[in-house]
Amino acid sequence: MSDKSVVMQCRALSKSYSDGKHLVEVLKSIDFNLKLGETAAIVGASGSGKTTLLNLLAGLDLASSGEVCLAGKDWSTLTDKQRSKQRNHELGFVYQLHHLLPEFSALENVMMPMLISGKKRSIAEQESRELLSQVGLSKRLTHRPSQLSGGERQRVAIARSLINNPACVLMDEPTGNLDETTALEIQSLIQTLKESQNMAFLIVTHDEKMLSWVDSAYRLSLGELNQIK
């Protein structure tokens, strides 16, 4: 990619499945760019292909045709091991149900990606403490997920997604399981982190209220992605 500010790029991305008798086109020739410091949203109804697209963007599944590049590397040219390393170093993930490990504390959950990437435990702990403080959880470090509120658990998940300083953070319905007040707090946190970290955030959601504050927005419908903001 010639533009170094582009951290994620799709070119003519398509995905099809065979149901035995027919070929089902889920995604049709999608073109999409995401730049450093940009917050983008992809909205679409249930069944529109949002999860399929997210899996392709994350390199968890490969396209039928076209390509997805993350930090200049095409997922389809990498081995499984290389894709895992690329995800760990360049991508952060935040899910609707946070997926925190219940037997570990907030601090330990945030440390996990750094430990997996081979960083020293002392460094992982120090940086995790700093991140949790940044998201307002400096007094909840030793609490396990069951001892945290829904908003606090999502803040831990966001801190965990940032711990390896990724180029891009993918968020799958990050506020879908939260009340309106907590959802607004999470939105404010995302905006603050975007400005302070200069990371790209891509939010996949059915909540069209998010369109009011993201930098750019797209609608996924009938397998096609169209920019609406």
Side-chain angles (χ1 to χ4, degrees):
M1 288 180 287
S2 57
D3 187 347
K4 292 183 180 180
S5 69
V6 175
V7 293
M8 181 172 283
Q9 184 177 56
C10 301
R11 290 190 283 238
L13 181 68
S14 298
K15 185 66 177 180
S16 301
Y17 296 100
S18 174
D19 64 1
K21 295 182 179 179
H22 307 285
L23 191 66
V24 180
E25 284 188 290
V26 182
L27 301 174
K28 305 172 185 176
S29 195
I30 287 175
D31 292 300
F32 169 74
N33 287 343
L34 186 66
K35 294 185 176 183
L36 279 172
E38 180 182 4
T39 302
I42 294 178
V43 296
S46 178
S48 61
K50 298 194 303 296
T51 299
T52 298
L53 177 57
L54 200 62
N55 288 340
L56 293 175
L57 297 180
L60 297 171
D61 192 10
L62 296 178
S64 301
S65 61
E67 63 183 29
V68 180
C69 293
L70 173 67
K73 295 182 179 179
D74 182 349
W75 284 123
S76 67
T77 66
L78 305 178
T79 64
D80 287 344
K81 186 176 181 179
Q82 289 171 331
R83 283 196 290 272
S84 294
K85 185 176 181 180
Q86 179 83 335
R87 270 193 296 273
N88 185 261
H89 287 201
E90 301 289 354
L91 271 185
F93 296 88
V94 180
Y95 303 93
Q96 179 176 353
L97 296 176
H98 60 74
H99 292 302
L100 299 178
L101 300 171
E103 66 271 30
F104 293 101
S105 68
L107 181 62
E108 291 166 334
N109 267 282
V110 176
M111 290 169 59
M112 204 66 65
M114 281 194 84
L115 297 177
I116 290 171
S117 65
K119 300 289 175 60
K120 289 184 179 179
R121 187 175 183 86
S122 59
I123 295 174
E125 182 173 340
Q126 179 184 343
E127 295 193 15
S128 296
R129 285 178 179 273
E130 291 173 0
L131 263 179
L132 283 166
S133 178
Q134 191 174 352
V135 300
L137 292 176
S138 59
K139 296 182 179 179
R140 309 290 273 170
L141 302 180
T142 61
H143 290 68
R144 293 186 179 186
S146 62
Q147 298 171 306
L148 301 172
S149 69
E152 287 172 334
R153 288 193 291 268
Q154 200 64 302
R155 285 172 181 270
V156 174
I158 290 172
R160 181 182 60 185
S161 77
L162 301 175
I163 193 62
N164 277 335
N165 195 35
C168 177
V169 178
L170 300 180
M171 308 182 114
D172 186 8
E173 302 281 6
T175 60
N177 217 35
L178 304 175
D179 62 75
E180 187 173 354
T181 300
T182 307
L184 289 172
E185 291 175 355
I186 295 298
Q187 289 176 13
S188 177
L189 175 62
I190 293 168
Q191 290 174 292
T192 299
L193 291 170
K194 179 199 82 164
E195 293 168 4
S196 64
Q197 306 283 345
N198 195 36
M199 293 176 184
F201 286 83
L202 177 61
I203 303 162
V204 177
T205 182
H206 71 278
D207 184 4
E208 303 214 1
K209 286 186 252 181
M210 287 196 174
L211 303 188
S212 64
W213 59 271
V214 295
D215 299 317
S216 56
Y218 303 79
R219 186 179 305 282
L220 185 61
S221 178
L222 300 176
E224 298 180 349
L225 190 70
N226 296 297
Q227 187 163 6
I228 56 177
K229 179 179 179 179

